Amino acid sequence: MFLKDKINSAIDKISQQILKYNEHRKLFQNLFRSVKNSLNPSEFPVSFGFKTTDKSFAVNCAETNIEGLKIAGVDGGIIHRSLNFFDIALIRAVGVLFYYVPNSNPIVRYFPEENPFPDIVTSIEPLNQNEIESLISIWRMQKEIKCAISLVKEDLPDIIILDGSVLPYIDYKMINQSEFLVHQYLSLKTLYRQLYSLCQKHHTALCGIVKDSRSAILTEKMSHLLPHLSKLKEFEKLLEIDYRPIIRQLRDTDLLFQVLDQNERTFEFYLSNFNEKFDKNLPDFDIHCFYLKTAEYDTPLRIEFPILFSNPQDLSQSISALVISVSKYNPEYGLPSVIIEADARARLQEVDADILIDEIASKVGYSSFSLQKRRARSPFAKR
Amino acid sequence: MKGKSIGTVIVAEETPNPSEFSFVLTKSEDDFRLQKGMYVTIQSEEGEIIASVLNVFKTNRYFSSPSAVKAYETSGKTLASIFPVDSWEYIIAQAKPLGIFTEIGIKRLLYPVSPGDTVYVPDAGTLSKFLGLDPENGLLLGKIAHHDLEVKVNLTRFLQKHAALLAISGAGKSYTVSIILEELLSRSQEQGRVAVILFDVHGEYKGLSDDSSEFKDKIEFFPGAFIQFATHKLTAGQFASFQPQMSAVQVRELYRILGKLYVTNTKQGKSYLIKDIIEKIENDENINQRSKEALIGWFYTLESTHLFGQLEKPSLEEDIKAGKLLIVDLSDFTSLRKKQLIMSYFLTQLFDLRKKNKIPPTTIIVEEAHQFAPEASISMGLSRPIIETIAREGRKFFLSLVLISQRPVKLSTTALSQCNTHVIMRIVNPYDLDFIGRSSEGIDRETMDSITTLGIGEAIIVGNAVNHPIFVSVRKRKTSALQTMDLEESAKAYDTD
């Protein structure tokens, strides 16, 4: 077989897979769309993992008047380089607060400032690749949460939106071999607790927005539940086919893109509690989650939030209303304006790391080339 | 000495390099308005690198994607009401290094400035020296656009190797000429004064000698009706230049005739007229009949101009004086040929007198120069040979030309190429622009592109008078307005009469 034939064959195969996937997705989308108002998640058996008080699969959320409100967003930027002897990272986090005053453009404040100089952090710990990646994530989250804490302390926003999860998603098993990493992780958790407590004290809503979620928690739970929903007419057809492998392919946002209408969210559901086994005596927080469609032609946002005050249902509605109000402008890109601005401010350029490494190299007497690992300095790679 | 800092050099597409760099404005627009054509400076070990701003543009990440702008603004809100767009606006300038101003002079920049270098506004003294201006004794033509710096061009550098003033009609040529005249007439004996003669084709400059003018005692206005050539001062060659069809044999015969008249009249203290020459030709038995008829015919034609008499009026030897301006009014003449005759006669006499040092160093200002020295055949421009001669040789005798034209492409290439300084005002004709590009020394593409966008009273000076092309806002005149009327005024005046 010639190379061209091989390529064509591979392309055909991929195309077929996509078409088939689309077909399956469509099937489930149509199905859930047709039953979204008749399903009552609060009645789902607890054994299937749904903890919710919402009585409908899809809940309509009205936008709210944000005049007089302070809406904040926090994002971080990181550039990491693994060198021969150590790891180095440039990290910064920027908090943005939009204060919506009547009949005027929002007043904008930045934390700690508009263009903060990034922290330069290094580690000479003997860590493996997974541990290094975990460490870099911990450093970035530490920076972001510290920024969020200072923002809440200084300006008391009505809501603070984190770019990403509201939980420190680190696989503890991945880091528990390194005392250094465990210490860093515990420090991070302490910072999160501080932030939660602070928001609780000041009645500031807190949420994390995962813009490109690959989670399948909802579809997975629904797949287990489907056989028990066969009394619904719409599901009869589904039971005739082996739907389980199909639903396993689906991510939550794939399913929900066509199921939810604009300004509609899924029922909120319990995701996890904050504490782990070793946190027994520390204050704990329940974390809930829902998906919210803020733009007609964009996939829904995954929104996670700790229950700091009020109740999950009301908090979901309040957070949804605020998020919609600052995300509704672009039908193809439904991300909150505060997160767009924070992301732009926090983003770091690769060239910043290059300059840093060049400077270090000039001081230690190595060429920056020899300082870097082989994979980064192939003599034939385009630079 | 550097002035205030305004920006920082950045890395952009293949810049900085020795011939270009970009910088971001670090001041807010309210603090400093960066404009195209400004000069900036960067400190280097060798001295100050002076550069001119070729272009200024703004960037803003929120407005860089048309589809995103449209998508957001379709919501009925402006991007400015959704995002802090103002804080993302950056002003970037592209600049061209002109040279390094060192203690020993100006050097070419052969290496790039460094990213991160601070960009300053040059102080007036440095800029003046760098551009080759003469703040002590120069002619004040205006101010450098965007800088508080007077453009004082050195007299010698500006005029000794001739100058040309090129612009479309209405761009402010005559206004600029009157500025040059004011400056020349204001000079003191210690500064060095030249005599000036101006051929006023449209009668625009009469106002300069009004009673209210502070220069009235230094200006003599000579009406066209009284212009007269001293016939006896003209040689056979000069007569031949009036009649380019004259053959070499005919010129030789005329030379002989004029020789006789010199003996019988000039040498005896008597002048003669055209009719005396005609009579001498008629009575001469040695000229063949065909030449005789041709010569007589041509002299009758010359006599019909009524320009030839016994005395020269105005008398150049008497009326050309240092620090004085003689305006020769040609506005009454409709015949171009007649105007060319006058130009040819007086310029020939001026050249002769300067060679003999009988008049002071003189500047000749020729309005509508393309009419007097056209690139077309000599028969179309009787005065072209003498203008070209002065353009080539006048420098040695301190006889300078200032050629003014709105159609440089129609102006003698020889004459224009000898004008080492060009004052260029707004020009839009592509042929003229192309011609200027080819004939102006030191004019670059960016400067050329700016010519079409110049406003009234704005000029670019290139060539010998300055080290680099400069943009000038021509200063206000001291004298009263030129004698021009707009269409409406003219129509009213005619109706009232």
Side-chain angles (χ1 to χ4, degrees):
Chain A
M1 195 186 261
F2 291 114
L3 179 64
K4 193 182 166 191
D5 295 331
K6 282 183 183 175
I7 293 170
N8 284 340
S9 164
I11 290 171
D12 286 345
K13 200 174 165 188
I14 294 165
S15 307
Q16 288 302 319
Q17 281 175 345
I18 292 171
L19 286 171
K20 201 170 176 189
Y21 176 71
N22 276 345
E23 202 180 304
H24 295 158
R25 191 175 62 170
K26 198 92 184 152
L27 179 72
F28 276 89
Q29 283 171 339
N30 290 340
L31 176 65
F32 276 97
R33 191 169 173 79
S34 64
V35 298
K36 69 177 181 180
N37 294 321
S38 49
L39 286 177
N40 183 350
S42 67
E43 292 176 349
F44 290 165
V46 178
S47 57
F48 291 97
F50 288 111
K51 253 169 83 178
T52 181
T53 50
D54 273 326
K55 291 184 170 48
S56 178
F57 184 91
V59 182
N60 194 44
C61 312
E63 61 177 276
T64 187
N65 181 4
I66 50 176
E67 276 185 9
L69 298 186
K70 292 176 178 177
I71 297 181
V74 176
D75 195 10
I78 189 159
I79 300 264
H80 163 230
R81 291 291 165 88
S82 274
L83 304 179
N84 270 327
F85 315 112
F86 62 102
D87 283 85
I88 189 163
L90 297 180
I91 301 173
R92 74 172 163 197
V94 178
V96 181
L97 184 133
F98 286 12
Y99 176 33
Y100 291 90
V101 287
N103 306 318
S104 180
N105 295 338
I107 296 167
V108 182
R109 285 193 62 194
Y110 295 94
F111 299 85
E113 56 187 283
E114 201 171 304
N115 290 302
F117 193 79
D119 285 355
I120 301 165
V121 287
T122 58
S123 165
I124 49 170
E125 294 288 319
L127 302 173
N128 65 36
Q129 191 58 36
N130 286 335
E131 289 171 331
I132 284 290
E133 279 163 17
S134 298
L135 176 63
I136 299 294
S137 292
I138 291 170
W139 278 341
R140 181 181 55 77
M141 285 188 271
Q142 283 176 347
K143 191 78 186 158
E144 287 175 6
I145 301 305
K146 278 180 192 169
C147 177
I149 289 169
S150 70
L151 199 156
V152 177
K153 278 182 181 169
E154 285 181 42
D155 227 328
L156 297 178
D158 293 284
I159 183 170
I160 182 161
I161 304 168
L162 304 180
D163 184 20
S165 177
V166 81
L167 280 165
Y169 270 121
I170 295 292
D171 188 347
Y172 189 68
K173 277 178 261 161
M174 200 84 86
I175 60 167
N176 64 5
Q177 299 302 308
S178 163
E179 207 176 307
F180 172 72
L181 273 179
V182 169
H183 174 73
Q184 292 290 325
Y185 178 59
L186 294 178
S187 305
L188 174 64
K189 290 204 80 173
T190 306
L191 286 170
Y192 268 95
R193 273 195 199 90
Q194 270 182 36
L195 177 64
Y196 293 168
S197 303
L198 209 57
C199 288
Q200 197 166 39
K201 183 182 163 190
H202 296 296
H203 248 64
T204 294
L206 173 68
C207 70
I209 285 185
V210 186
K211 52 182 170 243
D212 293 310
S213 170
R214 295 172 68 84
S215 170
I217 187 169
L218 195 66
T219 50
E220 195 193 326
K221 284 181 177 173
M222 290 307 291
S223 72
H224 295 306
L225 187 67
L226 278 176
H228 304 273
L229 299 174
S230 54
K231 61 179 178 184
L232 288 171
K233 198 175 65 181
E234 291 84 348
F235 283 88
E236 282 171 6
K237 204 189 291 175
L238 195 65
L239 294 175
E240 291 167 12
I241 59 165
D242 186 5
Y243 60 84
R244 276 166 299 195
I246 302 170
I247 205 164
R248 270 203 297 272
Q249 292 179 323
L250 278 177
R251 294 193 183 93
D252 293 348
T253 49
D254 291 338
L255 173 69
L256 298 169
F257 178 54
Q258 293 292 349
V259 175
L260 295 176
D261 289 321
Q262 193 181 350
N263 296 354
E264 214 171 42
R265 68 170 173 86
T266 62
F267 60 97
E268 60 79 26
F269 54 93
Y270 168 84
L271 187 67
S272 136
N273 60 322
F274 182 75
N275 280 1
E276 290 169 76
K277 285 174 194 163
F278 49 80
D279 294 324
K280 268 181 194 164
N281 301 320
L282 296 167
D284 200 2
F285 300 90
D286 279 352
I287 310 296
H288 283 232
C289 172
F290 62 88
Y291 289 89
L292 173 68
K293 190 162 163 92
T294 52
E296 190 178 356
Y297 306 111
D298 202 2
T299 51
L301 301 171
R302 176 186 161 96
I303 298 180
E304 299 172 1
F305 60 103
I307 309 300
L308 303 177
F309 48 86
S310 187
N311 61 71
Q313 210 178 346
D314 288 348
L315 211 46
S316 300
Q317 281 302 88
S318 308
I319 290 171
S320 297
L322 291 171
V323 170
I324 287 168
S325 298
V326 292
S327 311
K328 64 182 180 183
Y329 310 107
N330 186 340
E332 292 166 5
Y333 198 74
L335 204 61
S337 52
V338 284
I339 289 295
I340 293 174
E341 176 66 11
D343 172 75
R345 292 286 173 198
R347 187 162 293 176
L348 289 160
Q349 307 287 324
E350 289 290 331
V351 70
D352 298 331
D354 292 339
I355 292 168
L356 181 69
I357 290 166
D358 287 348
E359 287 292 316
I360 294 168
S362 69
K363 292 241 161 62
V364 298
Y366 278 75
S367 76
S368 62
F369 190 65
S370 59
L371 206 60
Q372 294 182 62
K373 287 189 167 176
R374 261 191 212 97
R375 76 177 68 141
R377 55 184 172 98
S378 163
F380 304 109
K382 280 187 181 172
R383 274 166 230 288
Chain B
M1 206 175 71
K2 65 194 182 193
K4 67 172 176 179
S5 72
I6 56 159
T8 301
V9 175
I10 58 167
V11 175
E13 273 180 55
E14 297 190 4
T15 71
N17 62 48
S19 48
E20 196 179 327
F21 66 86
S22 295
F23 65 93
V24 60
L25 189 72
T26 49
K27 293 266 182 250
S28 78
E29 257 193 302
D30 294 336
D31 289 341
F32 185 79
R33 185 165 284 276
L34 185 66
Q35 293 176 70
K36 185 178 172 178
M38 269 185 169
Y39 294 94
V40 293
T41 179
I42 290 172
Q43 288 294 122
S44 80
E45 285 180 12
E46 281 189 279
E48 279 191 59
I49 296 165
I50 309 279
S52 69
V53 175
L54 300 178
N55 209 353
V56 184
F57 58 93
K58 289 182 176 178
T59 67
N60 192 317
R61 70 181 296 277
Y62 278 116
F63 295 96
S64 57
S65 162
S67 58
V69 173
K70 188 181 173 190
Y72 274 101
E73 300 214 341
T74 307
S75 72
K77 289 200 128 198
T78 61
L79 271 181
S81 67
I82 304 169
F83 297 107
V85 292
D86 289 350
S87 66
W88 283 95
E89 185 172 290
Y90 296 101
I91 297 174
I92 313 273
Q94 291 170 314
K96 176 186 173 185
L98 302 174
I100 314 169
F101 194 49
T102 69
E103 285 177 4
I104 54 164
I106 296 168
K107 286 174 69 177
R108 222 153 43 99
L109 183 69
L110 299 172
Y111 51 86
V113 298
S114 296
D117 277 352
T118 305
V119 180
Y120 300 90
V121 176
D123 74 283
T126 306
L127 193 56
S128 178
K129 280 183 203 161
F130 184 83
L131 296 172
L133 302 178
D134 180 3
E136 300 295 317
N137 291 313
L139 308 179
L140 174 60
L141 301 185
K143 281 196 169 181
I144 288 203
H146 325 303
H147 290 267
D148 191 22
L149 175 64
E150 291 185 334
V151 176
K152 287 189 160 186
V153 290
N154 179 273
L155 179 73
T156 303
R157 289 182 66 171
F158 183 43
L159 291 179
Q160 189 175 353
K161 290 185 184 172
H162 317 296
L165 177 50
L166 311 170
I168 58 166
S169 182
K173 286 190 302 288
S174 306
Y175 193 96
T176 307
V177 169
S178 62
I179 299 290
I180 295 170
L181 292 173
E182 284 178 6
E183 287 298 309
L184 291 173
L185 296 179
S186 301
R187 290 178 75 80
S188 64
Q189 208 169 349
E190 293 72 34
Q191 286 177 306
R193 299 179 302 182
V194 293
V196 189
I197 180 166
L198 182 147
F199 292 91
D200 186 4
V201 180
H202 304 297
E204 291 172 294
Y205 297 93
K206 198 174 180 182
L208 295 178
S209 58
D210 279 354
D211 286 345
S212 59
S213 167
E214 66 172 278
F215 301 106
K216 67 174 192 293
D217 295 335
K218 297 181 176 180
I219 299 173
E220 185 173 344
F221 184 81
F222 198 88
F226 300 117
I227 290 173
Q228 193 174 293
F229 306 161
T231 313
H232 67 277
K233 285 189 178 177
L234 289 160
T235 64
Q238 283 170 287
F239 276 119
S241 73
F242 297 159
Q243 291 294 354
Q245 306 94 317
M246 215 180 268
S247 69
V249 176
Q250 289 161 346
V251 175
R252 199 165 57 237
E253 294 295 356
L254 181 60
Y255 183 82
R256 194 170 51 74
I257 297 288
L258 294 181
K260 284 183 182 175
L261 280 166
Y262 176 75
V263 174
T264 55
N265 293 46
T266 315
K267 217 170 174 183
Q268 308 303 318
K270 292 190 288 181
S271 60
Y272 55 81
L273 299 169
I274 292 280
K275 67 178 175 56
D276 299 319
I277 301 171
I278 293 171
E279 193 181 316
K280 272 271 187 251
I281 295 169
E282 277 176 340
N283 297 333
D284 194 285
E285 291 171 355
N286 295 324
I287 311 175
N288 74 48
Q289 194 55 31
R290 282 181 68 184
S291 289
K292 189 180 276 187
E293 283 171 9
L295 280 170
I296 289 168
W298 286 326
F299 273 100
Y300 271 122
T301 309
L302 290 179
E303 193 178 30
S304 70
T305 63
H306 306 293
L307 289 171
F308 297 84
Q310 290 184 340
L311 297 173
E312 181 180 86
K313 293 175 188 172
S315 168
L316 296 178
E317 271 188 81
E318 287 171 20
D319 295 331
I320 296 289
K321 292 177 188 151
K324 298 276 172 77
L325 164 66
L326 173 62
I327 299 172
V328 181
D329 181 20
L330 302 182
S331 61
D332 289 342
F333 298 99
T334 47
S335 159
L336 178 59
R337 182 177 156 80
K338 218 165 170 178
K339 287 188 270 191
Q340 289 176 343
L341 278 175
I342 295 168
M343 186 70 71
S344 176
Y345 172 84
F346 284 108
L347 260 54
T348 305
Q349 298 306 317
L350 283 167
F351 190 49
D352 190 46
L353 290 169
R354 258 318 296 156
K355 280 204 279 192
K356 293 172 183 162
N357 204 26
K358 288 187 173 175
I359 55 172
T362 302
T363 296
I364 304 162
I365 299 175
V366 183
E367 281 266 14
E368 306 288 2
H370 55 276
Q371 290 185 5
F372 297 101
E375 183 63 3
S377 67
I378 289 179
S379 62
M380 300 290 287
L382 302 179
S383 45
R384 187 179 114 185
I386 185 61
I387 289 177
E388 289 184 343
T389 303
I390 295 173
R392 277 193 309 268
E393 300 173 35
R395 174 175 72 86
K396 297 170 209 159
F397 307 104
F398 307 108
L399 186 63
S400 317
L401 280 170
V402 177
L403 300 181
I404 298 154
S405 176
Q406 53 181 293
R407 291 309 316 272
V409 75
K410 297 204 166 178
L411 182 58
S412 155
T413 315
T414 308
L416 188 60
S417 67
Q418 296 298 317
C419 293
N420 278 231
T421 297
H422 287 183
V423 179
I424 303 163
M425 304 182 86
R426 187 171 148 83
I427 284 181
V428 287
N429 185 304
Y431 298 106
D432 287 322
L433 277 171
D434 185 52
F435 187 72
I436 287 171
R438 284 184 279 119
S439 59
S440 290
E441 274 179 39
I443 197 163
D444 51 24
R445 175 49 47 196
E446 290 79 23
T447 313
M448 282 290 297
D449 291 343
S450 304
I451 295 174
T452 51
T453 61
L454 290 170
I456 294 171
E458 290 178 333
I460 297 168
I461 303 179
V462 289
N464 196 51
V466 286
N467 293 338
H468 292 281
I470 56 173
F471 288 78
V472 184
S473 300
V474 176
R475 73 161 171 81
K476 284 198 168 175
R477 297 153 31 108
K478 295 173 190 166
T479 44
S480 58
L482 295 169
Q483 293 199 326
T484 53
M485 274 194 222
D486 61 26
L487 179 61
E488 214 169 290
E489 287 168 343
S490 177
K492 279 182 203 166
Y494 185 85
D495 248 0
T496 312
D497 290 346

